[in-house]
Amino acid sequence: MSEEKCIFCLIASGDIPCAKVYEDESVLAFLDLSPVHPGHTLVIPKVHYKDLLEVPCEFAPALLSALKKIGVAVMKATGATGFNVMQNNGVSAGQTMFHVHWHIIPRFDGDGLGAWEQGNYPDAAAMQTMAAKVASCLEK
Ligand code: 5GP
Ligand code: ZN
């Protein structure tokens, strides 16, 4: 997707309207069009990056600060007692908008939203083998 046709770039430039929640030099936050709960907010860098892997590490402080600030505001505004921060990379992971974004989803006790279905390793050795495999794939 080229940046000219990227909907989130067009939102960041003001060419497409949004329900803006927060903005600073490098970050924009606006309500998701199809909220899991009202107040569900998307946080994006104003610069186009396709996914997390393209985001420079220098963006981390601005992102973290925005996520914390907006998370608190979303809880206050909605009466939520918690929130999820979620970020999808790639079609297999559920990414549908290819301008990186972080979801802030307000949560309520007993709101019935499904948690991840989690399993087990067959044994401790299998778990250690997987840990070693991932570690060996880390770029030096
Ligand atoms: P993803 O599945 O890529 O992690 O999330 C994309 C999110 O963007 C979805 O939750 C979807 O509802 C939201 N979305 C898609 N198009 C628009 C739009 O034009 N405006 C807003 N505000 N949200 C959008
Ligand atoms: Zn974009």
Side-chain angles (χ1 to χ4, degrees), residues 7-8 11 16-19 30-36 40 42 86-90 93-99 101-103:
I7 291 184
F8 286 2
I11 288 176
I16 290 181
C18 71
F30 51 93
L31 295 185
D32 192 302
L33 210 51
S34 306
V36 173
H40 177 170
L42 300 177
M86 203 179 78
Q87 194 265 314
N88 300 324
N89 296 287
Q95 186 176 7
T96 59
M97 299 299 282
F98 293 89
H99 178 131
H101 52 281
W102 284 261
H103 297 255

Side-chain angles (χ1 to χ4, degrees), residues 15-107:
D15 292 300
I16 290 181
C18 71
K20 184 162 84 179
V21 162
Y22 172 79
E23 180 174 21
D24 62 30
E25 317 82 65
S26 58
V27 173
L28 176 69
F30 51 93
L31 295 185
D32 192 302
L33 210 51
S34 306
V36 173
H37 285 305
H40 177 170
T41 298
L42 300 177
V43 179
I44 66 167
K46 288 182 171 175
V47 172
H48 182 90
Y49 305 112
K50 179 180 67 163
D51 59 23
L52 182 67
L53 301 182
E54 287 194 353
V55 178
C57 291
E58 292 69 33
F59 183 61
L63 172 67
L64 190 58
S65 159
L67 290 175
K68 290 167 70 167
K69 223 180 310 208
I70 298 162
V72 169
V74 165
M75 284 206 297
K76 275 191 190 160
T78 62
T81 45
F83 65 98
N84 292 117
V85 175
M86 203 179 78
Q87 194 265 314
N88 300 324
N89 296 287
V91 173
S92 314
Q95 186 176 7
T96 59
M97 299 299 282
F98 293 89
H99 178 131
V100 69
H101 52 281
W102 284 261
H103 297 255
I104 295 183
I105 301 172
R107 296 297 304 271

